[in-house]
Structure formats: C-alpha cells, structure tokens
Amino acid sequence: MLTLRTANRVLKVLKTTQICKQPFHRWLAPTLRELKRRKDSLGPDKPVHRKTFLEWNYDTEVYAFSKRLGEEFNNDLLQQALTERSYIIREEERQKNVGIEQPTLNLFDNKELVSKGSDFIDDVVKRYLRTVLPRLPEEGIIGIHKYLTSIETLSHVSFHIGTSELILCAEFPVEKLTLSNVLKSITAALVESSGDSRAALFVRDFIITQIADKDLHQFWEPEEPIKLLSEILARDGIQSPEPRLIGSSGKNTILACFRVGLYTPHNKQMIGLGFGETVDIAHEMAARDSLRKLFGTSDNILLPFNLKLDQLCESNVKNLFVNEWSQKILPTRPMHYELRMAKETCSN
C-alpha cells in the first residue's frame, strides 16, 4: 500500500515524463538511413588543412609548436624550416595570375637548412651508435644508421611531433619526403638557435630512440656466420669451435627441435648456443649467438638514451670492419658513467 508521500513522487515523475516526452515521427529513421547511405556512396571525406578553419592563426601555431617541443627557436629560422620551395612557387604564380608582374614574397625556402640538418643528424647518430656499441662492426653501425635516417623513420617522427599541419608546401596531405626534409631543417634551425648540444638532445630524444623497441639484429646479420666465427677466432689465435648436440626433442616429427652448443677446443668452454628444427640450423644459430656475444649485441642489451653530446666519441672514430675484427686490436674507449651503469644492469 503506497503512502501519500510516495504517491506524490510517482505522480510528479509521470507529469515530468509527459511534459518532456518528444513526439515520435515515423519518417525520422528512414530519412537518417537514406542520408547515411548517400554519404557512404560518396566515399570518405578528403583531408582538409587546418588553415581552412576560421580560428586558424599560423604565427600562433608555430609559436605553440616550439613550446610543445620545449625548445627555443629563432622565429624566422623556424618559419623558414617549415617553408618548402613548392609553396613559394605556387604563391608567385597566384600573384602573377591576378596581374602582379613581379611578385615579391618575404619568404625563404628550407633547402639550405635541410642539407645542414641532414649532416648534423648523420654525425650525431653515428657517434652515438659507435659510443654505445663499440664492439659492433662498422657494417652493423651503417645498417642501424640507415634505418634511423631513412625517409620512413624521419617522416614518422616528423608527423607525430605535429609538422604536417604547419608545413607550407604545394601538396596536401604532405608527402613523406617533405616530412623527412622538414625534420632535418628543424634540426638545423635548432642548431643555429640553441647550439649543437641542445640539437643533439633533440636528435637523441626523437630520432635515436626509434630503435628502443627494435631488434638490432634485423638491421644487419653477417653472412655465413660459421665461417666468419672461425675467421675471427683464428685472428685471436683460437681454433675453430667444436659443435656438440646438447639435446633434442620431437625427432622425425614436424615439431623437431635440436640444441647445439659451440665449445672452444683449448678450454672446453661453451661460447654459443642455438636451437633449430635441424642440426645444421641449430649449428648456424649457435654461431650467430657466439658472434652476438663477441659484438656486444646480445638479446638483453640495454641502450642508454641519456648520453649528451660531450659524452659521445669523436666523429672521425670508426668501429672495426668485420673483415678485420679481432679482440686483440679492438680499440679501447673511455666508458662514461651512464653507459657503464647500463652495461652493469644488463650483465646482472
């Protein structure tokens, strides 16, 4: 049995529902479905540049871009770094079309900055890799450097720091080559604005860190690892390692797995361990494992991403090439505290 208070609450809710209730139209759902069908038939909308929006302010966006990066740029250099030659040509043609015979634009393209930025990025990346991977042959350094400075990697970084909406160019969406060149020009603008040390931190934080979640061995794998291992050990006066079958499972099945270890003849120590579906494959994998230990690129390697420019090796210092690699002639380089702590963490 309802009390008077409860009955009044129910009556109040019913009155509110009647007042707020909207009329039901049978034509609404079919109309919305038809509009959606027509929109889907036209295909996806073309990307639109943000400059078409009413609240767009290019100078403000460029200023906010530098603050998001946490860098201090010369405003004129930053705008020049974001300006492509194609944009200047298009604007000159527009002025000619409206009757201006000699168009004048107070704009400069980023061609010179792209060249300077490319050289600076190449130098910093190679010096960093040679510092943190001093035992890796120069072929491996070149392979990793090629990945970090490729158009794919640089355009990926450039896009995700927000340059695609700020670049002044003729095409939109912006091509990957343009994104890559703008990142190089921004680096050069930072060098001239804040100095080499600050620009090196920019390269380290945004470009070099792209290998943080990558397997370094995918960028360079030596050919004929068994032969190469024997040659390297011979240069150190060590005989060719002896392969031994340590274990196996699932013989004569599609799930067969063999485990092969490589041992040095003089002290019978295992220098490599490999697995494979056949003995030959396991032998080859064991040789690769031995080479990775020699080159200091084992699976548990931890690269330090906190090194500064003054902690990197000189630009003219190169690692040994694989055809001359030997532990006897391996150059010794001073290891900085951050790098030493990272190595100790990996070993533990």
Side-chain angles (χ1 to χ4, degrees):
M1 184 175 181
L2 295 176
T3 62
L4 180 60
R5 187 176 180 180
T6 305
N8 290 335
R9 287 184 177 179
V10 174
L11 181 61
K12 185 177 180 180
V13 171
L14 291 175
K15 288 181 179 180
T16 306
T17 305
Q18 292 296 329
I19 294 174
C20 298
K21 185 177 180 181
Q22 298 294 330
F24 176 75
H25 300 288
R26 294 182 178 276
W27 53 264
L28 182 59
T31 302
L32 294 177
R33 284 195 294 266
E34 177 62 19
L35 291 176
K36 184 178 184 306
R37 185 191 66 80
R38 294 184 181 184
K39 183 179 179 180
D40 295 340
S41 64
L42 296 176
D45 296 336
K46 295 182 179 180
V48 180
H49 199 285
R50 286 184 59 195
K51 67 181 180 181
T52 59
F53 298 171
L54 293 178
E55 68 276 10
W56 175 258
N57 187 314
Y58 184 75
D59 294 335
T60 303
E61 294 292 339
V62 171
Y63 175 80
F65 171 75
S66 63
K67 295 306 177 182
R68 285 197 302 270
L69 294 180
E71 304 291 350
E72 293 294 334
F73 287 94
N74 180 293
N75 188 58
D76 295 335
L77 281 175
L78 182 56
Q79 292 198 11
Q80 179 182 351
L82 295 169
T83 305
E84 287 284 316
R85 179 60 185 169
S86 59
Y87 176 81
I88 298 178
I89 295 175
R90 188 185 66 178
E91 292 301 314
E92 290 177 349
E93 291 178 351
R94 285 183 177 180
Q95 293 190 13
K96 291 180 180 179
N97 292 335
V98 298
I100 302 177
E101 297 180 357
Q102 296 181 351
T104 56
L105 293 173
N106 190 21
L107 294 174
F108 302 94
D109 62 82
N110 60 0
K111 182 177 180 181
E112 183 178 353
L113 291 176
V114 170
S115 178
K116 292 182 179 179
S118 178
D119 295 339
F120 183 82
I121 292 174
D122 289 345
D123 180 63
V124 173
V125 170
K126 287 182 179 179
R127 289 175 61 182
Y128 174 84
L129 294 176
R130 290 166 181 163
T131 301
V132 300
L133 300 170
R135 301 174 64 90
L136 183 65
E138 188 67 17
E139 289 86 350
I141 299 296
I142 295 174
I144 302 175
H145 168 268
K146 183 178 180 180
Y147 167 77
L148 289 176
T149 58
S150 64
I151 295 178
E152 289 291 334
T153 302
L154 295 182
S155 63
H156 173 80
V157 174
S158 180
F159 177 82
H160 284 89
I161 64 176
T163 61
S164 60
E165 301 288 353
L166 301 176
I167 297 175
L168 299 179
C169 60
E171 76 277 356
F172 188 81
V174 185
E175 298 179 354
K176 290 185 177 181
L177 179 59
T178 303
L179 288 169
S180 174
N181 289 337
V182 167
L183 182 63
K184 296 176 182 178
S185 62
I186 289 176
T187 304
L190 185 59
V191 171
E192 299 186 14
S193 301
S194 302
D196 293 353
S197 298
R198 193 67 192 178
L201 296 180
F202 177 83
V203 174
R204 181 199 68 183
D205 295 339
F206 288 101
I207 299 178
I208 297 179
T209 52
Q210 296 302 308
I211 60 174
D213 59 342
K214 300 293 189 301
D215 181 11
L216 299 182
H217 307 109
Q218 69 183 13
F219 305 121
W220 178 73
E221 279 285 4
E223 300 179 356
E224 300 182 355
I226 300 175
K227 179 181 178 182
L228 177 60
L229 178 61
S230 300
E231 293 176 352
I232 290 177
L233 294 179
R235 298 189 193 111
D236 295 332
I238 304 175
Q239 298 179 2
S240 299
E242 299 176 351
R244 297 180 184 178
L245 182 62
I246 299 177
S248 62
S249 63
K251 291 183 179 180
N252 302 323
T253 67
I254 59 175
L255 300 178
C257 179
F258 297 89
R259 183 171 57 177
V260 173
L262 292 180
Y263 293 83
T264 55
H266 62 287
N267 54 11
K268 307 300 180 182
Q269 291 185 354
M270 186 172 67
I271 61 175
L273 180 64
F275 300 83
E277 55 268 27
T278 64
V279 176
D280 293 336
I281 294 177
H283 184 192
E284 180 179 340
M285 296 305 297
R288 293 187 183 277
D289 182 56
S290 301
L291 291 174
R292 292 172 182 176
K293 291 179 180 179
L294 289 175
F295 298 155
T297 58
S298 55
D299 295 335
N300 61 345
I301 185 174
L302 180 63
L303 298 179
F305 293 109
N306 56 350
L307 299 183
K308 299 180 181 180
L309 183 63
D310 58 351
Q311 297 173 326
L312 304 182
C313 64
E314 299 296 330
S315 58
N316 58 353
V317 176
K318 291 185 178 181
N319 288 8
L320 295 176
F321 287 90
V322 70
N323 59 357
E324 60 182 6
W325 199 96
S326 174
Q327 295 189 84
K328 291 183 178 180
I329 61 174
L330 196 66
T332 57
R333 299 173 186 168
M335 185 177 296
H336 294 281
Y337 174 77
E338 292 83 355
L339 183 58
R340 185 171 66 253
M341 292 300 296
K343 297 291 185 181
E344 292 177 357
T345 304
C346 292
S347 60
N348 293 335

